[in-house]
């Protein structure tokens, strides 16, 4: 017996189960009045779980009998025309196209039905089946030049403009690739590259532009371009600039915010955030797309915070995602200049949830213990509250000190600090120290006895290796990070800078305890997590809408011109 190689393969055998005789036999019996196998054939063709091999087999047999398929067999033909051939492997598509050609050639009566079937696949949802695999397959390798990546992403975003139904898929593809770049360029690596570049610049003057310098990464006018020194971060910087320009362009018409278009884009980006960004630990920059978009309108900010809040308080969500949501909440509330009014409402929600959690532990009848695995979302939420208060306590107190203090006292932070779950033990040391200093100054809660007790209980861990024993202490037991820590990319960072609350030095030198930091001064713009308090000019308050920036929009079909690379 001859075996059809398209139906079976040694490596991956495909079983093609069928009932009844051949199509020619079935048609002959149908002509004689026996329609049992004929009906069975239609039933098998209408099976939603039909396999590729089965489709090919049936089509080949039906095609061999196409001259017999006159008007009397229209029910069978209509069943064949409903076969799910879109999205199948190439062999199925080719066989189906051959069948259609043979059918309309032999039986013109079915031409209209065939054309109607083909036209139904002109819809955008079907288009995405064809386009997205092509976009995915041809996306340049992330090691390609910035210019190559910029052109490809720019053109993908142009496609999303005239086929908006696949915009979410396109954004998911682009952001997924950008996250690969983001996690490959750590904050410390970028800072180190910048420091080395600065040292080299101080030691050696800029060389003259060479006549034969053909590096495709070279911008049109390097002297006017802010370039990130780390090569991977520089590629990410380019793509962030393109994506921010796209966001600005979609959301604004003639300089005014278009509410409906902005809402639609927000929903698409939020879906990508849930699927890709939130589960990605230690990404430094890609999440700023949401930060930037939310700056356009207060309602977007409130919607984003509410979304994070729902994830945090939902016990059916994985604990790791709930902790990430707490980190995003705290970091966003602390760093976004454009939400001074919303901070208090969010603090009320978070502190209420914390007290409710403490109540549930106290009423359980069990001895509460300091366990990250059991109470991870609780500790992350406490740290978020402490972090927000560190950055926003001045805004909460200014204007009316007495009412501000009454509000802070109403949070009952003493109960949180003194509870058996002991959140200060698991928070980052810098957060703990600064929170303790602030709450001591305003006599809200005295944390130092708890901190000293925790320090005595913090036993070092001795680990043996071939190189000898080493003693370590875990200073970040929650494995926490603040997703809106200072933005390091130079080009795209110019859009973030006016929206961003940097860390400010306390005016009262007596505020900081000697325990706060033993490190020397650093030259960084924002050294909060190092325990330092550098000078900064930023103040908490509203800023102009970010559409006032000079972001360049991808407003031309085709690859972006070189001038598209100019700074904001």
């Amino acid at each position: 017996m001859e075996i059809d190689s398209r139906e079976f393969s040694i490596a991956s055998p495909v079983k093609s189960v069928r009932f009844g005789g051949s199509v020619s036999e079935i048609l002959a019996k149908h002509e004689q009045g026996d329609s049992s196998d004929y009906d069975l054939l239609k039933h098998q063709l209408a099976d939603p779980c039909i396999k590729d091999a089965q489709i090919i087999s049936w089509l080949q047999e039906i095609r061999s009998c196409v001259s017999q398929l006159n008007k009397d067999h229209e029910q069978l033909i209509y069943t064949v025309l409903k076969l799910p051939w879109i999205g199948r492997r190439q062999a199925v598509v080719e066989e189906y196209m051959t069948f259609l050609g043979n059918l309309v050639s032999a039986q013109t009566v079915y031409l209209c039905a065939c054309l109607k079937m083909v036209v139904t696949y002109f819809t955008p949802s079907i288009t995405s089946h064809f386009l997205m695999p092509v976009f995915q397959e041809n996306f340049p390798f992330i090691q390609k030049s910035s210019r190559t990546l910029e052109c490809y992403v720019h053109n993908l975003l142009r496609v999303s403009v005239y086929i908006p139904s696949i915009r979410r898929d396109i954004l998911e593809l682009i952001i997924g690739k950008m996250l690969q770049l983001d996690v490959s360029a750590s904050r410390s690596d970028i800072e180190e590259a910048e420091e080395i570049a600065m040292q080299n610049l101080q030691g050696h003057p800029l060389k003259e532009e060479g006549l034969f310098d053909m590096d495709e990464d070279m911008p049109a006018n390097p002297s006017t371009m802010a370039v990130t020194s780390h090569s991977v971060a520089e590629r990410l910087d380019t793509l962030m600039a393109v994506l921010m320009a796209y966001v600005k362009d979609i959301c604004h018409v003639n300089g005014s915010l278009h509410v409906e278009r902005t809402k639609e884009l927000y929903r698409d980006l939020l879906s990508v955030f849930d699927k890709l960004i939130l589960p990605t630990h230690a990404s430094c920059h890609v999440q700023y797309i949401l930060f930037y978009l939310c700056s356009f309108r207060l309602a977007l900010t409130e919607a984003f915070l509410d979304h994070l809040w729902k994830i945090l308080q939902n016990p059916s969500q994985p604990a790791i995602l709930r902790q990430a949501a707490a980190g995003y909440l705290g970091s966003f509330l602390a760093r976004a200049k454009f939400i001074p009014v919303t901070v208090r409402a969010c603090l009320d929600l978070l502190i209420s949830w914390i007290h409710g959690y403490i109540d549930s532990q106290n009423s359980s009848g069990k001895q509460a213990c300091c366990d990250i695995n059991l109470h991870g979302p609780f500790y992350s939420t406490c740290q978020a509250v402490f972090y927000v208060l560190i950055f926003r306590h001045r805004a909460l107190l200014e204007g009316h000190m007495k009412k501000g203090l009454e509000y802070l006292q109403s949070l009952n932070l003493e109960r949180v600090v003194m509870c058996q779950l002991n959140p200060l033990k698991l928070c980052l040391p810098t957060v703990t120290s600064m929170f303790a200093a602030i709450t001591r100054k305003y006599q809200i809660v005295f944390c130092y006895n708890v901190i000293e007790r925790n320090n005595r209980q913090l036993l070092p861990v001795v680990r043996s290796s071939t190189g000898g024993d080493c003693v370590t202490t875990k200073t970040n037991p929650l494995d926490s990070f603040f997703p809106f820590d200072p933005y390091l990319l130079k080009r795209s960072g110019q859009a973030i800078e006016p929206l961003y609350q940097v860390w400010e030095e306390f005016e009262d030198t007596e505020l900081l305890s000697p325990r706060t930091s033993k490190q020397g001064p650093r030259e960084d713009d924002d050294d909060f997590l190092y325990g330092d308090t550098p000078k900064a000019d930023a103040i908490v308050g509203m800023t102009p809408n970010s559409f006032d920036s000079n972001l360049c929009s991808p407003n031309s079909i085709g690859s972006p011109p070189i001038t598209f690379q100019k700074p904001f």
Side-chain angles (χ1 to χ4, degrees), residues 330-361:
S331 193
F332 194 97
L333 289 170
R335 294 295 196 168
K337 280 187 177 180
F338 44 87
I339 54 169
V341 179
T342 313
V343 172
R344 180 175 292 198
C346 291
L347 279 175
D348 289 341
L349 284 174
L350 294 173
I351 201 69
S352 177
W353 185 87
I354 289 172
H355 283 299
Y357 194 92
I358 295 173
D359 290 338
S360 68
Q361 294 300 307

Side-chain angles (χ1 to χ4, degrees), residues 256-551:
S256 299
L257 187 71
H258 192 290
V259 175
E260 288 305 316
R261 287 171 55 169
T262 302
K263 286 181 180 179
E264 292 170 359
L265 180 60
Y266 168 78
R267 284 191 286 265
D268 286 344
L269 284 174
L270 191 66
S271 175
V272 179
F273 173 82
D274 286 344
K275 185 174 182 179
L276 298 180
I277 300 177
L278 183 64
T280 301
H281 181 69
S283 62
C284 299
H285 298 97
V286 173
Q287 56 267 25
Y288 270 92
I289 291 297
L290 269 298
F291 187 96
Y292 178 65
L293 176 61
C294 288
S295 71
F296 293 168
R297 189 178 176 89
L298 183 58
L300 293 175
T301 295
E302 293 173 344
F304 183 54
L305 291 171
D306 181 65
H307 182 74
L308 294 170
W309 163 244
K310 288 177 180 176
I311 295 174
L312 169 60
Q313 66 170 343
N314 186 355
S316 64
Q317 289 278 4
I320 190 67
L321 291 184
R322 296 174 68 192
Q323 290 180 233
Y328 269 91
L329 270 168
S331 193
F332 194 97
L333 289 170
R335 294 295 196 168
K337 280 187 177 180
F338 44 87
I339 54 169
V341 179
T342 313
V343 172
R344 180 175 292 198
C346 291
L347 279 175
D348 289 341
L349 284 174
L350 294 173
I351 201 69
S352 177
W353 185 87
I354 289 172
H355 283 299
Y357 194 92
I358 295 173
D359 290 338
S360 68
Q361 294 300 307
N362 292 341
S363 62
S364 66
K366 298 179 181 180
Q367 180 70 25
C369 59
C370 189
D371 190 326
I372 298 175
N373 295 325
L374 288 177
H375 311 294
F378 168 80
Y379 292 120
S380 294
T381 305
C382 289
Q383 180 166 261
V385 169
F386 300 159
Y387 189 76
V388 172
L389 288 174
I390 290 169
F391 274 83
R392 297 293 192 178
H393 71 278
R394 285 178 176 173
L396 294 171
L397 293 171
E398 65 185 9
H400 202 301
M401 178 66 74
K402 182 179 180 181
K403 288 186 177 180
L405 287 174
E406 288 176 352
Y407 171 73
L408 292 179
Q409 290 168 353
S410 72
L411 299 179
N412 198 1
L413 294 170
E414 183 175 7
R415 181 180 187 239
V416 177
V417 169
M418 301 298 178
C419 75
Q420 292 182 335
L421 292 174
N422 193 3
L424 290 182
K425 186 174 184 179
L426 296 180
C427 291
L428 286 171
T430 307
V431 174
T432 299
S433 298
M434 194 61 67
F435 174 75
I438 292 170
T439 52
R440 180 188 64 173
K441 175 185 178 180
Y442 297 108
Q443 299 183 16
I444 299 169
V445 58
F446 192 79
C447 302
Y448 288 109
N449 289 337
V450 177
I451 293 174
E452 290 174 358
R453 183 176 69 245
N454 290 337
N455 289 338
R456 289 195 297 269
Q457 296 173 353
L458 185 63
L459 299 178
V461 178
V462 179
R463 295 178 179 174
S464 298
S465 64
T466 55
D469 293 343
C470 63
V471 180
T472 62
T473 57
K474 192 168 180 60
T475 58
N476 186 11
L478 281 175
D479 198 23
S480 54
F481 82 109
F482 297 98
F484 298 112
D485 271 353
Y487 196 91
L488 302 180
L489 307 181
K490 294 182 178 179
R491 288 180 55 202
S492 54
Q494 295 177 52
I496 300 299
E497 184 179 0
L499 312 171
Y500 191 75
Q501 174 62 43
V502 299
W503 173 240
E504 296 177 305
E505 182 182 15
F506 284 104
E507 296 177 0
D508 301 317
T509 55
E510 73 274 7
L511 174 61
L512 294 178
S513 165
R515 308 178 183 88
T516 300
S517 173
K518 296 181 180 180
Q519 298 182 357
R522 295 169 54 94
E523 296 180 356
D524 303 69
D525 292 332
D526 189 316
D527 285 340
F528 169 72
L529 289 182
Y530 295 102
D532 303 311
T533 55
K535 297 283 186 183
D537 296 329
I539 59 171
V540 178
M542 295 295 290
T543 59
N545 284 339
S546 46
F547 65 75
D548 293 333
S549 65
N550 295 319
L551 278 174

